[in-house]
């Protein structure tokens, strides 16, 4: 798949190298040509010097062919503008924008641009936004037996109650992140599009739970 990354700082470079190492096609955009030195000699993708929300620059980066676009420069406004241009002009479905000001997050997410506050922003978090699947471990309790993980949900779980997730996985949903704010989970709370689900379970069952939630609920599959 082809990925376009705007910003070649620490996170952008780490993400680009990870995607390149996984065999994907990667184009990195940055206004400072010296920033590309962070990619190292083994990077086989392309580099484009220019402004990340400029249409000509994004065309050079083959944004129209991109599976996903990540805006991880040092400016909130530039990141959001670039992400919107990638989605609305070039038709990229999977976009993510780095954000420094958490108070803006709800506004940006209402525009359909997934964001993560910079304190949590790592290459792993970006990858999760661009290619949602599996889980991200957030905490392990001292004995190492239990893990709190952010898990990916198939879209078929939207509008389903928390209790249905817990019944299907035999695990406990600790809380949701909705529009960048934490929401305490309860049985009747319905999943909304864009929610992040944080689930506590035994370490050894995480892989099994990922497989369950990466598919629609059983009754939806039966109806199909």
């Amino acid at each position: 798949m082809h990925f376009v990354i705007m910003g070649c700082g620490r996170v952008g470079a780490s993400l680009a190298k990870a995607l390149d190492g996984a065999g994907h096609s990667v184009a990195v955009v940055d206004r400072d040509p010296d920033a590309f030195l962070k990619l190292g000699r083994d990077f086989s993708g392309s580099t484009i010097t220019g402004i990340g929300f400029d249409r000509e620059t994004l065309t050079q980066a083959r944004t129209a062919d991109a599976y996903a676009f990540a805006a991880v420069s040092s400016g909130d406004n530039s990141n959001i503008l670039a992400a919107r241009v990638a989605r609305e002009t070039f038709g990229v479905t999977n976009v993510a924008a780095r954000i420094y000001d958490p108070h803006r997050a709800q506004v940006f997410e209402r525009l359909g641009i997934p964001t993560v506050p910079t304190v949590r922003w790592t290459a792993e978090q970006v990858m999760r936004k661009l290619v949602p699947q599996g889980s991200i471990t957030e905490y392990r309790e001292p004995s190492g037996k239990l893990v709190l993980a952010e898990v990916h949900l198939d879209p078929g779980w939207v509008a389903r109650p928390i209790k249905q997730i817990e019944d299907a996985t035999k695990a406990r949903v600790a809380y949701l992140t909705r529009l960048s704010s934490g929401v305490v989970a309860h049985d009747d709370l319905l999943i909304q599009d864009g929610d992040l689900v944080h689930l506590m379970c035994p370490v050894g069952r995480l892989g099994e739970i990922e497989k369950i939630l990466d598919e629609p609920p059983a009754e939806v599959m039966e109806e199909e």
Side-chain angles (χ1 to χ4, degrees):
M1 296 183 289
H2 182 57
F3 292 81
V4 177
I5 300 169
M6 170 198 164
C8 196
R10 179 180 58 82
V11 172
S14 296
L15 178 62
K17 289 189 288 186
L19 290 167
D20 183 56
H24 296 293
S25 167
V26 185
V28 184
V29 177
D30 200 289
R31 66 178 63 195
D32 179 9
D34 291 338
F36 301 131
L37 295 174
K38 300 183 183 71
L39 297 170
R41 294 181 179 179
D42 295 333
F43 180 69
S44 63
S46 59
T47 57
I48 298 92
T49 302
I51 299 173
F53 49 82
D54 177 73
R55 294 187 183 186
E56 183 177 343
T57 300
L58 293 179
T59 298
Q60 292 181 43
R62 294 174 45 219
T63 305
D65 300 327
Y67 172 80
F69 180 93
V72 292
S73 75
S74 59
D76 285 0
N77 291 334
S78 295
N79 288 340
I80 292 301
L81 182 55
R84 293 195 68 183
V85 171
R87 169 170 284 176
E88 297 169 12
T89 301
F90 291 90
V92 183
T93 301
N94 300 311
V95 300
R98 182 181 193 176
I99 184 169
Y100 286 83
D101 182 357
H103 298 294
R104 297 181 179 181
Q106 293 187 15
V107 175
F108 294 151
E109 291 192 1
R110 289 193 180 102
L111 296 174
I113 308 296
T115 64
V116 176
T118 191
V119 293
R120 294 179 54 210
W121 197 267
T122 65
E124 183 183 27
Q125 290 281 0
V126 181
M127 186 82 79
R128 176 59 183 280
K129 294 290 185 182
L130 299 183
V131 189
Q133 59 183 351
S135 64
I136 295 176
T137 297
E138 298 178 311
Y139 171 77
R140 289 198 183 205
E141 54 82 34
S143 74
K145 295 180 179 179
L146 298 178
V147 61
L148 177 67
E150 178 191 313
V151 292
H152 169 251
L153 296 183
D154 179 272
W157 291 95
V158 172
R160 305 281 171 158
I162 292 293
K163 186 176 188 305
Q164 187 170 355
I165 293 176
E166 294 185 336
D167 288 345
T169 60
K170 302 297 187 290
R172 177 70 66 183
V173 175
Y175 70 100
L176 306 180
T177 301
R178 177 172 294 169
L179 294 175
S180 299
S181 297
V183 177
V184 176
H186 58 81
D187 287 354
D188 299 328
L189 182 65
L190 300 182
I191 297 294
Q192 294 183 10
D193 188 24
D195 283 353
L196 302 179
V197 176
H198 307 267
L199 181 147
M200 182 73 76
C201 68
V203 172
R205 293 198 60 240
L206 186 56
E208 172 193 350
I209 290 169
E210 289 175 1
K211 292 179 181 178
I212 293 171
L213 298 179
D214 273 339
E215 297 181 350
E219 65 270 25
V220 174
M221 297 178 69
E222 290 172 2
E223 291 172 2
E224 294 176 348

